[in-house]
Amino acid sequence: MILGQPDRDGSRPTLALVIERRILAYPQRPLAVRPPDPRAAVVAARVDAMIRSRRPDLEVVHIGSSAVPDLPGKGVVDLGIHPASRADVAAIEQLLLELGFARMRGPAAFPNSRPLLIGGLEEDGETLPIHLHVIPDPGEWARQLTFRDELRRDPDLRARYTALKHQLVEVAPSSLQYSLSKTAFIRGVLEEAGAAEPSVPSGGTIGILGGGQLGRMLALAARPLGYRIAILDPDPNCPAAALADEQIVAAYDDTAAAARLASLSDVVTYELEHVSLGAARAVDELRPIRPSAFALAMTQDRISERRFLEGLGIPVAPWREVRSLAALVAGVEALGTPLRLKVAIGGYDGRRQVRITGATTAERNASVQAAWAALASAALADGLVLEREVAFRDEVSVVVVTDLGGRQAAFPAARNVHDEGILIESVAPAPGPRTIGTAATAIAKRIATALDAVGVVTVEMFAMPDGSLLVNELAPRVHNSGHLTIEACRTSQFEQHVRAICGLPLGSMAPTAAGAAMVNLLGTGRDRPARLLGLEQAMRDPGVSVHVYGKRRVFERRKMGHVTVVSERLGDAMDRARAAAAHLTWAD
Ligand code: AMP
């Protein structure tokens, strides 16, 4: 149809009607690195014309790889609109939907205030896929253009980027994963070009979703750099409260409160995975949340976490998703006992996790029934993971940090001992063959890259007797097994996290001694006011560092504090840490 020509019935179609028929559904294509396609520029110009015909004030700019002649890519035409004001985003999104663009389904990598719409346009016999980004943040907009222009300018950069794309497409399970895995590279390029995201200046405020001991130790690391701390926690007396300049007393799923925290902060992080995704997304609308809301979404649900890992080709224990008794019975049949049945969302420290065992069919049936009785409601709400219990030789974890420029560094792998699911001891470097630590570190770095997580990510793994590793759990945050880094490394996991999320360079991770051991101080007995006894005796060994989290109440197995010893001999460090911890008890 020719624009503006009368229709057969004589009426003059409006421009909008003509245009509405032209944006097609997003053509799903297999992820591949395709040669540069000159049709992309034609598509970009046509979309620009369409949008200008409705909104002459808007310009559609060709961004991304397809805007760079000579650069292969996944064949998606990336376009961007930079609205003059944030208030205009909703109207622009509405216009795009009217033109035939659609919202992306699946895990969202961007907040609603920075929408990504998808569509297709036919050009020369083929429908080309389009990503249309609406980017209100002037900083982000400038970074998009800088990256494109650096690629246009520098053939060597194009060659390196092309090589990375070929490498990633081999391993990335999805287009989203592929895109996220490139982010570290892009960040590095922007930094080189002097266009990195700005750092948070000293005096700025770090918001923390959660005010437990991890938040407290983050605050302890942030204060010497001059940062202010704002926390959100339902408990006014939570461990981080004493260190916080501002506290919002609210539940972890209170999105309005999370938005208030964001408005008080320059950057926001989280110290526990059971912060609701809604709260993280509410922050994401207003301030950078690091690690990203996407990293939280991937890791707070064991089912999505397992899928994410499998998608990356990283081994996990054989498992099944369980949402019904029938699925549980079938899973037990398929996997054999012993098994672990775990809630997909919200279980931690071994809570809400049951074993399924039984040598005989009758015993096994009884165990299945008991497990189902314990977790049926969780199964129906969020699903369960049924997983083979593996006969590991050791449990190891790696804490890896990624800075805003995409650089990564990992602390030495730790070996951890759990008791009924709760961590009781860690030593680092993990004893045993060095190859295991090296392999564990490589896995952890790959995962952190795929999560596009700025800040600390912890990966817990099972080291099997044959030397292989199975990943058990991911945490996009500082971790109990990294507490010993406070004394054992020049820069602790907490300070590294603060540096990373604030856009500062990472610190030295040089070890301060050959090894370190940490023993957790767990609560004992009934719920009562917490009063620690034995501090003097514990500290008679001058090499003992005691950390008490300031929890007002103690109860059985509650994490109350920890003890660390560094030493030139690992065995010595552990003996002394245990001896000190044995002195520390809670008054009745
Ligand atoms: P999780 O909450 O999944 O980290 O589990 C807590 C602890 O339970 C782990 O650190 C292990 O000690 C143990 N555990 C969990 N899953 C398994 C499994 N599949 N095989 C053996 N031990 C497990």
Side-chain angles (χ1 to χ4, degrees):
M1 180 183 292
I2 300 163
L3 293 192
Q5 286 278 326
D7 248 346
R8 238 173 282 153
D9 65 2
S11 66
R12 242 180 124 78
T14 64
L15 214 48
L17 278 175
V18 177
I19 289 160
E20 266 163 30
R21 285 185 218 129
R22 295 177 62 184
I23 291 293
L24 309 172
Y26 185 75
Q28 292 289 351
R29 304 197 296 185
L31 180 61
V33 179
R34 298 157 201 272
D37 187 343
R39 292 174 300 179
V42 181
V43 166
R46 282 177 57 200
V47 176
D48 184 40
M50 275 183 204
I51 288 172
R52 276 187 204 247
S53 71
R54 294 271 294 255
R55 283 278 307 261
D57 59 312
L58 294 178
E59 183 190 6
V60 174
V61 178
H62 196 183
I63 57 176
S65 293
S66 70
V68 182
D70 305 340
L71 187 65
K74 64 179 194 279
V76 173
V77 184
D78 271 299
L79 305 174
I81 296 178
H82 176 48
S85 84
R86 284 172 196 273
D88 199 14
V89 170
I92 294 173
E93 188 173 6
Q94 188 51 40
L95 167 64
L96 297 176
L97 293 172
E98 283 169 21
L99 292 175
F101 282 99
R103 292 197 177 89
M104 199 133 176
R105 279 181 299 145
F110 300 110
N112 291 333
S113 55
R114 185 259 189 248
L116 163 61
L117 289 111
I118 58 174
L121 204 57
E122 196 187 303
E123 191 55 48
D124 212 8
E126 194 186 355
T127 304
L128 299 190
I130 305 170
H131 283 184
L132 210 165
H133 302 261
V134 183
I135 304 178
D137 175 40
E140 188 192 350
W141 182 247
R143 288 191 290 278
Q144 289 282 352
L145 301 185
T146 303
F147 183 59
R148 178 196 68 185
D149 294 344
E150 285 296 300
L151 286 167
R152 283 179 173 169
R153 188 182 63 75
D154 183 351
D156 177 54
L157 182 63
R158 285 203 292 279
R160 283 192 289 131
Y161 197 37
T162 305
L164 175 73
K165 287 173 176 220
H166 282 289
Q167 188 194 325
L168 287 177
V169 89
E170 293 293 317
V171 294
S174 69
S175 190
L176 177 61
Q177 272 309 307
Y178 167 85
S179 303
L180 289 173
S181 299
K182 287 187 319 200
T183 315
F185 179 88
I186 297 170
R187 289 214 179 90
V189 172
L190 290 173
E191 198 179 80
E192 285 270 300
E197 282 181 74
S199 58
V200 177
S202 179
T205 299
I206 300 172
I208 308 176
L209 291 163
Q213 63 267 19
L214 301 179
R216 179 180 171 103
M217 289 184 270
L218 282 170
L220 282 167
R223 284 216 170 269
L225 298 170
Y227 290 117
R228 292 167 53 80
I229 302 294
I231 60 170
L232 179 154
D233 197 277
D235 177 2
N237 297 318
C238 64
L243 277 301
D245 298 278
E246 314 256 8
Q247 179 175 5
I248 295 173
V249 179
Y252 302 131
D253 61 357
D254 184 335
T255 52
R260 272 209 313 284
L261 179 80
S263 66
L264 293 175
S265 308
D266 295 282
V267 63
V268 176
T269 189
Y270 43 91
E271 58 113 51
L272 72 182
E273 290 99 296
H274 47 280
V275 167
S276 80
L277 205 50
R281 294 232 158 97
V283 170
D284 203 13
E285 299 285 346
L286 297 167
R287 294 287 186 274
I289 177 160
R290 296 177 184 147
S292 61
F294 174 79
L296 183 67
M298 284 295 106
T299 55
Q300 77 172 183
D301 175 339
R302 285 189 202 265
I303 296 170
S304 59
E305 184 175 278
R306 288 286 184 286
R307 294 218 176 97
F308 167 77
L309 290 166
E310 286 184 336
L312 290 173
I314 290 174
V316 296
W319 71 285
R320 293 283 185 285
E321 178 177 341
V322 169
R323 291 182 188 270
S324 66
L325 179 57
L328 175 60
V329 170
V332 172
E333 198 57 43
L335 297 172
T337 51
L339 294 160
R340 301 273 176 142
L341 187 63
K342 307 175 176 181
V343 295
I345 298 181
Y348 64 99
D349 288 347
R351 287 174 215 183
R352 315 205 56 213
Q353 175 174 143
V354 286
R355 288 186 79 212
I356 296 178
T357 54
T360 65
T361 311
E363 280 170 6
R364 191 187 282 193
N365 286 348
S367 187
V368 166
Q369 291 299 335
W372 183 249
L375 298 179
S377 60
L380 300 176
D382 305 312
L384 306 173
V385 166
L386 177 69
E387 178 181 296
R388 189 176 295 155
E389 187 174 285
V390 297
F392 55 77
R393 199 193 55 206
D394 281 324
E395 291 195 67
V396 296
S397 58
V398 175
V399 174
V400 49
V401 59
T402 309
D403 75 7
L404 208 48
R407 275 176 295 262
Q408 286 187 322
F411 288 98
R415 184 180 74 187
N416 307 316
V417 177
H418 291 82
D419 173 45
E420 288 180 27
I422 194 161
L423 182 76
I424 51 172
E425 292 178 352
S426 293
V427 291
R434 190 179 289 181
T435 47
I436 296 195
T438 310
T441 302
I443 290 174
K445 286 187 171 174
R446 242 188 93 208
I447 291 170
T449 304
L451 285 173
D452 180 26
V454 173
V456 162
V457 168
T458 307
V459 180
E460 291 187 82
M461 289 166 257
F462 298 130
M464 302 305 289
D466 67 358
S468 63
L469 291 163
L470 300 176
V471 170
N472 176 39
E473 209 173 16
L474 311 179
R477 55 166 172 79
V478 287
H479 193 260
N480 198 163
S481 63
H483 291 359
L484 49 71
T485 61
I486 295 175
E487 288 84 13
C489 299
R490 288 277 300 279
T491 314
S492 73
Q493 64 165 349
F494 301 101
E495 183 176 336
Q496 293 291 42
H497 187 71
V498 168
R499 286 174 178 242
I501 64 169
C502 290
L504 299 171
L506 298 178
S508 159
M509 281 152 120
T512 58
M518 183 227 57
V519 175
N520 267 345
L521 301 176
L522 299 184
T524 47
R526 70 193 156 78
D527 188 338
R528 61 198 188 282
R531 199 157 58 82
L532 184 65
L533 304 176
L535 194 56
E536 278 176 51
Q537 291 91 320
M539 292 179 82
R540 285 210 180 110
D541 177 344
V544 163
S545 300
V546 178
H547 298 255
V548 182
Y549 304 149
K551 295 183 182 177
R552 301 283 177 97
R553 300 192 71 81
V554 60
F555 49 80
E556 187 67 25
R557 296 174 74 73
R558 188 175 203 197
K559 285 181 179 171
M560 301 299 293
H562 71 267
V563 169
T564 303
V565 175
V566 299
S567 171
E568 292 312 312
R569 287 190 308 113
L570 260 191
D572 168 62
M574 184 46 88
D575 290 346
R576 288 163 57 202
R578 282 183 188 150
H583 286 296
L584 296 164
T585 57
W586 304 94
D588 269 333

